[in-house]
Amino acid sequence: DGGITQSPKYLFRKEGQNVTLSCEQNLNHDAMYWYRQDPGQGLRLIYYSQIVNDFQKGDIAEGYSVSREKKESFPLTVTSAQKNPTAFYLCASSITIQETQYFGPGTRLLVL
Amino acid sequence: QKEVEQNSGPLSVPEGAIASLNCTYSDRSSQSFFWYRQYSGKSPELIMSIYSNGDKEDGRFTAQLNKASQYVSLLIRDSQPSDSATYLCAVLPQGGSEKLVFGKGTKLTVNP
């Protein structure tokens, strides 16, 4: 069953804590993306990766970090430097960067 | 900066009516156009793609593209309450390093 999985569905972060959001795909897609969505707002690109071992900053990369060690996986770390992390985080993938994107179910991050 | 503009709405239509969602884009070289549907609290799902001028029909959905006017629209015939969602327009500019640009979405409410 092909698709994109994100875990956990809900994540709680304490003050000063780093947390990591998981994104896995078995679609054999080269490109992967992380977006942030705030209530009633559009998608904002955090980071994207065109290929394994390569990634670029999006529009709002500050306070976030990523890695792309495997084609299937693109984890996002929300660091303590991100002062307002409460949002819905969406992972997406595409065959290449020039193709349409498919989304995972999302992770909702809340601050305690 | 490549931009995709949508009326944020909300757009409210009665059940059975035609809902018309509009989108304009700034990059004249754009070649591929997509509509995503996002239910409240869920991730976006791809519902239509269009690449050539004219109309493309899929069930109750029709996508319309006018590249000269840099305009793409989505018509939903016989609207149902289950169509109530936010609809995101996405445009892919031409160029090897380009990626999808999303509009902020139009919220549609179909009233029974």
Side-chain angles (χ1 to χ4, degrees), chain B residues 15-101:
Chain B
E15 184 175 354
I18 296 176
S20 178
L21 304 159
N22 305 316
C23 172
T24 59
Y25 57 95
S26 63
D27 186 352
R28 185 172 289 278
S29 74
S30 298
Q31 296 295 318
S32 305
F33 307 86
F34 307 92
W35 284 99
Y36 289 79
R37 177 177 61 200
Q38 185 177 22
Y39 290 116
S40 180
K42 302 295 186 181
S43 61
E45 59 176 323
L46 180 68
I47 56 171
M48 289 285 288
S49 58
I50 186 165
Y51 306 96
S52 304
N53 277 330
D55 295 359
K56 179 181 177 182
E57 190 174 313
D58 183 1
R60 296 186 295 109
F61 296 93
T62 299
Q64 299 176 317
L65 176 60
N66 184 327
K67 290 184 180 180
S69 300
Q70 295 175 237
Y71 177 93
V72 59
S73 64
L74 179 70
L75 301 179
I76 306 174
R77 291 183 302 281
D78 188 23
S79 295
Q80 301 297 309
S82 59
D83 295 325
S84 298
T86 296
Y87 289 81
L88 303 173
C89 174
V91 175
L92 186 58
Q94 191 172 35
S97 63
E98 297 293 345
K99 55 193 179 301
L100 270 186
V101 180

Side-chain angles (χ1 to χ4, degrees), chain A residues 33 52 56 61 68 70 75-76 87 93 96:
Chain A
Y33 314 79
V52 175
Q56 287 84 40
R68 187 85 188 278
K70 298 187 298 181
L76 172 74
S93 70
T96 70

Side-chain angles (χ1 to χ4, degrees), chain A residues 50-109:
Chain A
Q50 296 189 60
I51 201 165
V52 175
N53 293 321
D54 179 69
F55 51 83
Q56 287 84 40
K57 293 181 179 180
D59 302 317
I60 56 164
E62 187 174 348
Y64 300 97
S65 65
V66 293
S67 62
R68 187 85 188 278
E69 298 175 0
K70 298 187 298 181
K71 187 174 186 177
E72 311 80 48
S73 179
F74 191 41
L76 172 74
T77 297
V78 183
T79 75
S80 57
Q82 173 49 247
K83 296 306 179 188
N84 185 22
T86 297
F88 189 38
Y89 290 86
L90 289 158
C91 178
S93 70
S94 58
I95 297 172
T96 70
I97 199 171
Q98 276 267 293
E99 300 286 340
T100 192
Q101 296 174 22
Y102 297 89
F103 287 85
T107 292
R108 200 165 296 278
L109 177 60

